[in-house]
Amino acid sequence: MLAEIDYLHRLNPEQRRAVEHGVGTGTVGGPLLVIAGAGSGKTNTLAHRVAHLIVNGADPRRILLMTFSRRAAAEMSRRVERIAGQVMGTSSGAVTDALNWAGTFHGIGARLLREYAPHLGLDPQFTIHDREDSADLVNIVRHDLGFHESKSRFPAKGTCLAIYSRTVNAQGELAEVLKEAFPWAAMWEAELRRLFARYVEVKQSQNVLDYDDLLLYWAMMMREPAIAGDLGSRFDHVLVDEYQDTNRLQAAILLALRPDGRGLTVVGDDAQSIYSFRAATVRNILEFPQSFSPPAEIVTLDRNYRSTAPILDAANAVIAEAAERFTKNLWTDRASAMKPQLVTVRDEPTQALYIVEDILATRERGVPLKQQAVLFRTSSHSGPLEIELTRRNIPFVKYGGLKFLDAAHVKDMLALLRWAENPRDRVAGFRVLQLLPGIGPGTAGKVLDAMDEAPRPFPMLAGLPAPARAEGWDGFVAAVTGLAGSRDWPATFSRARAWYEPVLEEAHEDAAIRLLDLLQLEQIASGYPSRERFLTELTLDPPDATSDQSGVPLKDEDYLILSTIHSAKGQEWRSVHVLNVVDGCIPSDLGTGSTHELEEERRLLYVAMTRARDELHLLIPQRFFVTQQQKHGDRHLYAQRSRFISRAMLPLYDDILWPPLKPLAAHTTMPRANVDLRAQMRTMWAK
């Protein structure tokens, strides 16, 4: 009992109730829903529950833990090891090492599909396309079907893929998805249906899966009773983090794994459901308790350990207006006399000036730039601020922008490795072949056609005559076939880089800088046991941060955080500024078409507000200048405060006008007139 107190005594009563649910009863407990408010210690509670299960005899090899990033899963495993170590001592490491079913939905899905491939009609050597590769393949199919030649504009490749993805993940009808999310493309329903059918056929012929396939195939696999029963019997406990961000496919997978709900724990916050553009639906968490008989037990974590009381009061008031939610009001012991600030400014450039002045003043008070953040609804909203930060020599890192893996040279290297892993991957082969001087799209297509007809593609490649204009063909063939036949990892990466370096130097003037990226990628690769694991994990969980530093490179280790609200979820900072808290931005003009869209915009503001620990500034520009006008034009629109902050909520804020109005100069006595202007006017016209 003493050991139990040692590792559970810091939990509050609600957290402890969630951790101990169904443990020590001799049977696996029933379904549990933990409604965890922002800053309520959700991750800590889930880690304690996993550790508590292991300490009380649960087999870690039979625990399935799913999060929404691989890094979150790794952090969860470290916490579990630390907590279990307090009770189990040195043996905890070995125990938690057995917690090998911790990862993302997509990562676990890919692993299970390879394992069950012989029973599913799949080749276990399939490769996985990222979003850009999938869009490229859609574009190839789009051209093959002649849809690019239409008299009216057919949806671009990225839009086509977005429609496909939303239809799959939402498990909806194509017609309904087009009507709700892509109404301008509804006229192309028949053509899109043909496009997607052909897209599926091409993926299968090339032995590739995309992101959506990993969930779709897993869900369809679970419809087979024998497979569902076998897979469900492998796990005693299934725990899911951030359940409010799941889509219908993910919910269906969980219900198939645990039809009676026994051993199933989901943690989330309906007030932070903000990913409907990824087909996530808040209905999953709202309807979870009633999915089982008897209904799932609900534990609400409403004590906030992050924000001050005035910030929570303001955030609670915003979310209290939600049409449908689990009732909770966050509270805290962190008292403060400082209310959140509603800062009214003239326009966006003035908004940028205010933020820069305030963050510098806050820094002088001892708050590092890293502990301050500027959040915004859309990445483009930060443009004027980025200009001002660069002008003032303030370093910053922006989240929610371009990705490391989107760089051309990085994609070249990954395509080379992916083609060596799967010679049927036509998108990868098409990109790699065109790296060779003298080979264009036409020649690359002919080479791939010849390989497609062969039972062993790479021996066929070695037997092909060199294309007429190709330079270095023999060396290229030798390098590619050597990579395909090698399982010596990560040495294979080094050989691939050695072949690619001359190509890199020829194609890019800044080859030396780009080579550093490849060396970094090679270092990442060395942490994986195989080429297949490396390609899978990097595709499913890529880096998502970009930096824009003032100078080359950062002159110190401190920098300001810029982030979209979506990318900021799960983070916290001592001081937070939220840009453009006005109608048209929050909520977005595009997010007011329906009630559920408007409610998600409300939750988005709530998420932004609850990222702040000590200081919260909501910026309200009064004017927005119209784009695409003449230089020095003054066409503008007036904005009003976000509808989510009503007049009744204003006492919860300090209302500030910046810059402050200057007082009028004191009245002074005018000097006596010494000039008779009237007389001068009378004589003005005298001759």
Side-chain angles (χ1 to χ4, degrees):
M1 187 65 182
L2 182 61
E4 181 182 347
I5 294 173
D6 284 341
Y7 76 100
L8 296 182
H9 76 285
R10 293 186 177 181
L11 302 178
N12 65 42
E14 289 78 19
Q15 290 174 331
R16 187 157 182 160
R17 181 183 161 204
V19 168
E20 295 179 332
H21 172 78
V23 181
T25 60
T27 60
V28 177
L32 172 65
L33 170 61
V34 182
I35 299 296
S40 62
K42 163 181 68 66
T43 302
N44 187 48
T45 302
L46 188 58
H48 273 82
R49 177 159 176 79
V50 176
H52 194 56
L53 288 169
I54 295 173
V55 169
N56 283 272
D59 186 349
R61 295 167 298 183
R62 296 180 60 82
I63 294 177
L64 176 60
L65 174 62
M66 287 188 285
T67 64
F68 274 78
S69 75
R70 187 165 51 86
R71 289 178 293 276
E75 174 61 23
M76 188 73 70
S77 297
R78 285 193 292 270
R79 290 196 185 198
V80 170
E81 181 177 351
R82 187 167 60 249
I83 298 166
Q86 298 178 27
V87 182
M88 306 175 69
T90 57
S91 63
S92 64
V95 172
T96 53
D97 283 344
L99 192 67
N100 58 3
W101 286 99
T104 65
F105 270 94
H106 292 86
I108 297 293
R111 184 176 170 183
L112 289 172
L113 288 176
R114 293 192 193 279
E115 189 172 330
Y116 283 87
H119 306 284
L120 305 173
L122 291 176
D123 184 343
Q125 297 302 314
F126 61 80
T127 53
I128 302 170
H129 276 182
D130 61 17
R131 290 295 186 194
E132 188 171 338
D133 287 333
S134 298
D136 288 343
L137 186 57
V138 167
N139 200 41
I140 292 173
V141 176
R142 181 173 171 270
H143 277 69
D144 289 345
L145 294 175
F147 293 155
H148 65 294
E149 300 174 352
S150 303
K151 293 182 179 180
S152 57
R153 181 172 61 97
F154 191 80
K157 62 179 183 179
T159 305
C160 292
L161 183 64
I163 296 171
Y164 172 85
S165 180
R166 194 177 186 97
T167 305
V168 169
N169 286 288
Q171 289 291 276
E173 292 292 331
L174 177 60
E176 289 299 316
V177 170
L178 290 172
K179 180 181 177 181
E180 291 180 4
F182 306 90
W184 63 269
M187 61 182 292
W188 298 106
E189 180 187 347
E191 289 82 358
L192 286 169
R193 198 176 294 279
R194 284 181 58 200
L195 173 69
F196 298 154
R198 179 59 183 159
Y199 174 58
V200 170
E201 292 175 1
V202 172
K203 283 191 296 180
Q204 292 179 357
S205 68
Q206 298 181 16
N207 196 31
V208 299
L209 302 181
D210 60 25
Y211 279 138
D212 306 312
D213 290 334
L214 299 176
L215 296 182
L216 181 61
Y217 279 49
W218 188 4
M220 295 181 70
M221 176 177 85
M222 298 301 290
R223 296 175 186 175
E224 179 59 40
I227 296 178
D230 178 72
L231 184 52
S233 67
R234 297 172 62 171
F235 305 108
D236 296 325
H237 301 277
V238 179
L239 302 98
V240 182
D241 196 12
E242 305 288 3
Y243 189 66
Q244 79 279 348
D245 295 332
T246 56
N247 57 40
R248 294 196 180 279
L249 271 180
Q250 292 163 322
I253 290 169
L254 287 177
L255 292 178
L257 276 172
R258 283 289 177 273
D260 60 357
R262 302 200 68 81
L264 179 59
T265 300
V266 301
V267 182
D269 183 6
D270 56 295
Q272 298 187 65
S273 178
I274 59 175
Y275 290 111
S276 65
F277 65 93
R278 298 179 184 170
T281 172
V282 71
R283 304 307 314 173
N284 284 349
I285 192 168
L286 292 175
E287 297 171 358
F288 180 84
Q290 304 307 319
S291 300
F292 309 97
S293 183
E297 182 171 349
I298 302 174
V299 177
T300 302
L301 308 183
D302 55 6
R303 180 178 180 179
N304 181 283
Y305 294 92
R306 175 187 299 158
S307 306
T308 62
I311 292 175
L312 288 184
D313 291 341
N316 284 334
V318 168
I319 202 63
E321 301 296 320
E324 189 176 11
R325 68 187 185 109
F326 287 107
T327 302
K328 66 177 180 303
N329 284 300
L330 299 181
W331 63 277
T332 183
D333 291 331
R334 296 192 64 215
S336 174
M338 185 177 183
K339 295 180 180 179
Q341 295 183 338
L342 281 178
V343 185
T344 302
V345 295
R346 186 169 53 251
D347 47 32
E348 288 185 285
T350 309
Q351 176 178 245
L353 288 173
Y354 169 82
I355 291 173
V356 169
E357 294 293 337
D358 193 73
I359 64 170
L360 291 177
T362 304
R363 180 175 177 267
E364 291 302 312
R365 296 199 305 269
V367 181
L369 292 178
K370 278 186 178 180
Q371 287 297 315
Q372 303 182 61
V374 182
L375 308 183
F376 31 86
R377 172 65 177 83
T378 303
S379 184
S380 59
H381 289 177
S382 66
L385 177 60
E386 293 179 44
I387 293 171
E388 185 64 19
L389 290 170
T390 303
R391 189 181 73 82
R392 300 283 288 272
N393 202 35
I394 299 173
F396 63 91
V397 174
K398 183 176 179 181
Y399 293 87
L402 296 175
K403 298 178 180 179
F404 170 68
L405 300 186
D406 289 340
H409 55 294
V410 176
K411 289 192 70 66
D412 288 345
M413 179 60 69
L414 293 178
L416 179 59
L417 294 171
R418 207 160 32 236
W419 197 38
E421 181 73 16
N422 175 18
R424 303 292 185 188
D425 189 337
R426 195 174 180 92
V427 171
F430 197 71
R431 186 181 189 102
V432 172
L433 283 165
Q434 292 182 82
L435 295 176
L436 209 61
I439 293 185
T443 303
K446 292 177 182 177
V447 172
L448 292 173
D449 289 341
M451 293 177 65
D452 287 343
E453 296 173 358
R456 299 176 64 198
F458 281 131
M460 166 60 76
L461 179 67
L464 288 176
R469 299 180 182 179
E471 301 178 13
W473 175 259
D474 292 339
F476 167 74
V477 172
V480 171
T481 54
L483 292 174
S486 174
R487 295 297 170 188
D488 185 12
W489 186 261
T492 305
F493 190 104
S494 300
R495 289 197 293 272
R497 178 174 55 78
W499 176 84
Y500 180 67
E501 279 185 25
V503 178
L504 180 69
E505 293 172 357
E506 186 70 25
H508 301 283
E509 294 181 358
D510 57 347
I513 297 173
R514 293 174 183 262
L515 180 59
L516 295 177
D517 289 338
L518 298 184
L519 292 173
Q520 180 185 356
L521 192 63
E522 185 172 357
Q523 186 177 4
I524 296 172
S526 65
Y528 292 87
S530 67
R531 180 170 62 197
E532 175 266 311
R533 281 285 300 277
F534 168 71
L535 292 171
T536 298
E537 297 291 345
L538 206 65
T539 302
L540 297 181
D541 193 26
D544 60 358
T546 58
S547 309
D548 197 352
Q549 295 91 13
S550 54
V552 190
L554 286 177
K555 297 178 181 178
D556 55 35
E557 295 182 353
D558 201 15
Y559 48 82
L560 180 67
I561 304 296
L562 306 185
S563 175
T564 62
I565 301 173
H566 289 95
S567 296
K569 190 168 166 293
Q571 306 297 314
E572 62 179 60
W573 297 273
R574 290 175 62 180
S575 177
V576 170
H577 295 78
V578 186
L579 298 184
N580 299 344
V581 187
V582 298
D583 266 20
C585 296
I586 305 178
S588 167
D589 280 335
L590 301 177
T592 57
S594 63
T595 300
H596 72 268
E597 289 176 331
L598 191 61
E599 289 301 314
E600 178 157 326
E601 293 290 315
R602 185 193 311 276
R603 295 193 293 268
L604 202 61
L605 178 59
Y606 174 80
V607 168
M609 296 173 69
T610 53
R611 299 311 95 195
R613 295 181 58 194
D614 304 321
E615 299 179 21
L616 175 63
H617 309 258
L618 305 183
L619 282 297
I620 305 175
Q622 293 181 305
R623 295 193 301 171
F624 289 82
F625 288 92
V626 177
T627 59
Q628 298 180 346
Q629 59 177 310
Q630 293 182 350
K631 189 176 182 181
H632 307 304
D634 193 40
R635 294 173 57 204
H636 59 269
L637 303 172
Y638 284 97
Q640 62 179 6
R641 183 182 68 246
S642 172
R643 70 188 71 182
F644 301 140
I645 302 176
S646 65
R647 185 180 296 272
M649 301 178 191
L650 293 182
L652 300 172
Y653 301 86
D654 285 332
D655 204 349
I656 297 174
L657 180 65
W658 195 89
L661 295 176
K662 296 181 180 179
L664 295 175
H667 179 72
T668 57
T669 303
M670 299 296 293
R672 286 181 175 271
N674 297 317
V675 180
D676 190 348
L677 293 179
R678 294 187 299 172
Q680 292 183 16
M681 292 296 294
R682 287 194 303 271
T683 60
M684 181 176 175
W685 302 101
K687 293 183 178 179

